[in-house]
Amino acid sequence: MDTDGTHGGERRTPFGTGHVPRPAGPPGLPGIQGLPPKPAHAPAPVTAVGAVPGPAGGTAGGQAGGAEGGAAGGRAGGPSAGPAVGPTLADWLRVPRPAAGPGVWSYGHVPRAAQEPEVTPTRQLVSGALISLLAGLLLWSLLWNGYLGGFWLWPLYMFTPDSWAGTLPSVVASYIWYAIVAATLAIGFGRLGRWPELARRILPGGRAARAEVPAPRPVEPGGPDDPAAWADVRAAGLVEVADRLGAEARAGRMNDVDHVRIGRAWETVRADPSRARAFADAVRDKGAGACVHPSGARDLPVRAARHDLLARQVLLGTVQDGERNPYARRGSGLALDPAVLGTSLLAIGPSGAGKTSRLVRPVVESLALQALAGQAAVVVVASAGTALGPDTGYDVVVRVGDPDSVYDLDLYGGATDPDEAAMLLAEGFVGDLPGIDVRRAATALAQLLGPFRAAYGRFPAVPELRELLDRVPVALAALREALEAAGQQRMLRELDARERQHGAPADPGPALADRVALLDRPAFAGFFNVAAIDTDGPGRPFSLRALEHPLRVRVDLPERGHADASRMLARLLLAQFNAAAAARTDRSLFALLAFDDASHTLTAEAVRGIQRLRSANAGVLLTLRTLDDVPEALRTPLLGAVGCRMAFSGVTTWDGKRFAETWGTEWVETRDVTHRTVFADQPLTRAIHAFRKLVSGKAVTTDAVTVRQVERERWSASDLAHVVPPGHAVLSLTSVRGERAAPLLVRLGGRD
């Protein structure tokens, strides 16, 4: 798996400096609903002092505190060790979050005009200002010296009486009128010469930001729309509950996760008013700790990215302020949320480009926070040792091949139907082999899984499945005897059909046996067990059928010692996720499966499954070093199946060509300048031109400018390979509602 240069400990890059009030004391740790409880020897979450990242920003943890964070707060619901620094929870809630299209960091976003205003060159402004100044002085001189007559003095004569002649009032009135005329000339010629714009351009402190669209104003404290006042709870008659929640926030005992989690619980109360009493009792008893996640955690042990849980966004970076990006998006934050991740994301970049630290970990961290708030479920698959956060930040950690692993992996994905289980196994085992029909492989497996389950009431473990595929006589005889004793004649016919097909030219049995043998190794002894088997295995099986619960899951694969087995398990997990996400009865939780390295993981059926995830409120995050790790026939369908595409710095030109074809072309305005030599006819003009050429060394020319509209690639393969700077990426987004964001050049790693 690709760790992108993150070996040697966790990378903790601070992405922001905002903080929220520290959480309350450590709550209890009940078991996860829908999962077996952890054994007694499971490592308990530790409590350590560290900086609590704010709701709109944060530090990477206590180790990255100091100047960047400054504050020390509780970890995973632990007590605080110092005062909070940054906006309070109420101030954070009142910051406007205008809707501005897919991928826009909405926290305090200030929209810009769609088109860039025309900017006059400074040299032209200076020359225009000087000309208007000289013209104004000339006109004033002509008026003052009477060369234009005295018509400009008529208003003075009309409004002053003759008796004032030679008196002080007459002198004062005259100079007042002179000042009015001079000011009128200065204003008129100043506007003509654009003096105010020149002053803003060159004077210190006069350069003002061009905010064509007014910035949204924060919500005033105590108004009816104040999100910190819990007005909807108060309006429903739960005044005591609203007061308690407000007091928790003011006292610093509520953080961003608490607010979003309790807000989601209140939404369920509005949908089912019968839950109002239980909600009120929970808030009355536990305050900000009400309706807590089944793990008891109210925050992550450490945050390495900047999050806005109210908008469900994580900040990836800043759109570069350059000509390659649309004017309206320049300088704005680039964020990801379930609205765009629901269309799935594919990222391509070489090792060390930052795919793990700048994409996978922030996204997984955001979904983990949303899981604590009861909004999402996330599963991340990576090589063992990849820096994706501490174990205490997850509810389930499956370490395949590690004898100390607390959890095991259900090989059949929680399926109870033999045909469904066979299809999942076939997709994971031989879905990448050319010339092997996955459906025939699924049929072959079903001819063994069905009889085995009918005989023993469970699916076979890995050694048992290998014996059946290898046609070990003792295993087959025992299975046949059990089926005969149970009177399963139909299953006996299935077993007979498998024996007849064995050895046929297109029989997938040998290939399946070879792939199952990869899992029947001493390193995996005790793993991939089924619940009905009483074994000495260290872990309890975890199934992706648990996606209906707000879970945080990490699966560590033994990539270094068992690369082929790891890739096979990755394919199996992707197939199980596609099936489990589509089969969920409750799709209110957004489900995400993230691969730190999806090399040799994708199959034709998996790509088709990714296309169906959008309607199931789910998505996948796939990272690859190169598209060469995907079968050639699947490269174009894969780019078409995902809605978000990301090319990191350093991609090859052949990978860039695929992205360029996917992003298409756009109409742009080009200017062609033609230089033509001027040939003079008059002797004096020729002499002047000859003198200019002697002095400057260049012939006198004239410029002809041609403006055209041409169709050009948004990003060419050469630009993607050579123009994108290190630490940057080109990213296009599509939301589940069909909104699109053109490819943007993004500087990764937060905002200044």
Side-chain angles (χ1 to χ4, degrees), residues 217 248 445 450 554 561 595 635 641 712:
R217 299 181 60 184
E248 292 284 291
L445 285 171
R554 193 184 78 218
F595 283 96
R635 294 169 190 171
R712 182 176 296 173

Side-chain angles (χ1 to χ4, degrees), residues 120 147 163 178 288 315 369 419 463 465 538 541 578 603 673 707 711 720:
T120 305
Y147 291 105
S163 60
Y178 299 155
L315 182 66
L369 287 170
D419 293 329
L465 182 58
N578 287 338
T603 63
V673 181
V707 180
E711 193 174 11
L720 290 173

Side-chain angles (χ1 to χ4, degrees), residues 573-595:
L573 286 170
L574 180 56
Q576 291 180 356
F577 179 83
N578 287 338
R584 291 187 302 169
T585 57
D586 181 8
R587 297 182 178 180
S588 61
L589 296 181
F590 176 74
L592 179 76
L593 175 64
F595 283 96

Side-chain angles (χ1 to χ4, degrees), residues 636-660:
T636 299
L638 174 62
L639 287 170
V642 298
C644 306
R645 307 167 189 94
M646 191 171 186
F648 279 79
S649 173
V651 297
T652 59
T653 52
W654 42 92
D655 283 344
K657 181 180 179 181
R658 296 280 186 176
F659 278 94

Side-chain angles (χ1 to χ4, degrees), residues 660-680:
E661 293 174 350
T662 304
W663 285 329
T665 60
E666 63 179 346
W667 288 98
V668 297
E669 183 180 277
T670 61
R671 292 175 176 264
D672 298 330
V673 181
T674 304
H675 303 284
R676 298 177 181 176
T677 304
V678 178
F679 297 97

Side-chain angles (χ1 to χ4, degrees), residues 406-499:
V406 176
Y407 286 99
D408 193 0
L409 189 64
D410 187 349
L411 199 64
Y412 300 96
T416 56
D417 180 62
D419 293 329
E420 180 184 359
M423 180 58 72
L424 295 177
L425 286 182
E427 182 69 22
F429 287 168
V430 297
D432 64 320
L433 293 179
I436 299 293
D437 188 353
V438 176
R439 295 190 179 275
R440 294 197 63 177
T443 301
L445 285 171
Q447 290 170 344
L448 296 175
L449 298 181
F452 194 96
R453 183 174 179 82
Y456 302 110
R458 59 177 176 84
F459 289 127
V462 170
E464 296 170 328
L465 182 58
R466 182 182 182 186
E467 290 178 350
L468 294 176
L469 289 171
D470 286 336
R471 299 183 71 246
V472 176
V474 176
L476 289 175
L479 178 57
R480 184 176 295 275
E481 181 180 352
L483 290 174
E484 292 175 350
Q488 294 284 349
Q489 297 300 323
R490 184 171 59 88
M491 292 301 174
L492 283 172
R493 289 195 298 270
E494 287 282 290
L495 194 60
D496 293 338
R498 173 87 288 269
E499 292 185 359

Side-chain angles (χ1 to χ4, degrees), residues 323-588:
E323 296 181 355
R324 298 305 300 261
N325 292 320
Y327 177 75
R329 296 297 300 268
R330 296 176 191 172
S332 62
L334 195 285
L336 297 180
D337 54 44
V340 296
L341 292 173
T343 62
S344 298
L345 189 151
L346 173 67
I348 308 292
S351 298
K355 299 189 298 296
T356 300
S357 60
R358 298 181 179 181
L359 174 63
V360 178
R361 177 163 182 181
V363 170
V364 170
E365 191 174 88
S366 175
L367 270 295
L369 287 170
Q370 295 178 41
L372 293 179
Q375 296 177 318
V378 59
V379 180
V380 57
V381 182
S383 175
T386 304
L388 292 174
D391 293 351
T392 52
Y394 296 90
D395 303 311
V396 175
V397 178
V398 181
R399 296 188 182 90
V400 179
D402 187 349
D404 296 328
S405 178
V406 176
Y407 286 99
D408 193 0
L409 189 64
D410 187 349
L411 199 64
Y412 300 96
T416 56
D417 180 62
D419 293 329
E420 180 184 359
M423 180 58 72
L424 295 177
L425 286 182
E427 182 69 22
F429 287 168
V430 297
D432 64 320
L433 293 179
I436 299 293
D437 188 353
V438 176
R439 295 190 179 275
R440 294 197 63 177
T443 301
L445 285 171
Q447 290 170 344
L448 296 175
L449 298 181
F452 194 96
R453 183 174 179 82
Y456 302 110
R458 59 177 176 84
F459 289 127
V462 170
E464 296 170 328
L465 182 58
R466 182 182 182 186
E467 290 178 350
L468 294 176
L469 289 171
D470 286 336
R471 299 183 71 246
V472 176
V474 176
L476 289 175
L479 178 57
R480 184 176 295 275
E481 181 180 352
L483 290 174
E484 292 175 350
Q488 294 284 349
Q489 297 300 323
R490 184 171 59 88
M491 292 301 174
L492 283 172
R493 289 195 298 270
E494 287 282 290
L495 194 60
D496 293 338
R498 173 87 288 269
E499 292 185 359
R500 287 194 305 269
Q501 296 170 6
H502 182 76
D507 179 32
L512 289 170
D514 292 341
R515 288 300 176 91
V516 174
L518 295 175
L519 301 181
D520 190 20
R521 303 292 301 163
F524 302 133
F527 279 86
F528 315 117
N529 294 313
V530 290
I533 301 180
D534 186 11
T535 66
D536 296 330
R540 298 170 180 262
F542 165 75
S543 168
L544 287 178
R545 295 284 179 175
L547 287 178
E548 294 189 358
H549 303 284
L551 290 175
R552 304 164 295 163
V553 183
R554 193 184 78 218
V555 180
D556 293 343
L557 299 179
E559 175 71 19
R560 296 178 181 175
H562 303 274
D564 292 336
S566 297
R567 293 168 181 171
M568 186 171 64
L569 291 174
R571 288 192 299 273
L572 181 61
L573 286 170
L574 180 56
Q576 291 180 356
F577 179 83
N578 287 338
R584 291 187 302 169
T585 57
D586 181 8
R587 297 182 178 180
S588 61

Side-chain angles (χ1 to χ4, degrees), residues 707-718:
V707 180
R708 297 183 300 171
Q709 292 285 336
V710 298
E711 193 174 11
R712 182 176 296 173
E713 289 181 326
R714 298 178 186 272
W715 280 88
S716 67
S718 179

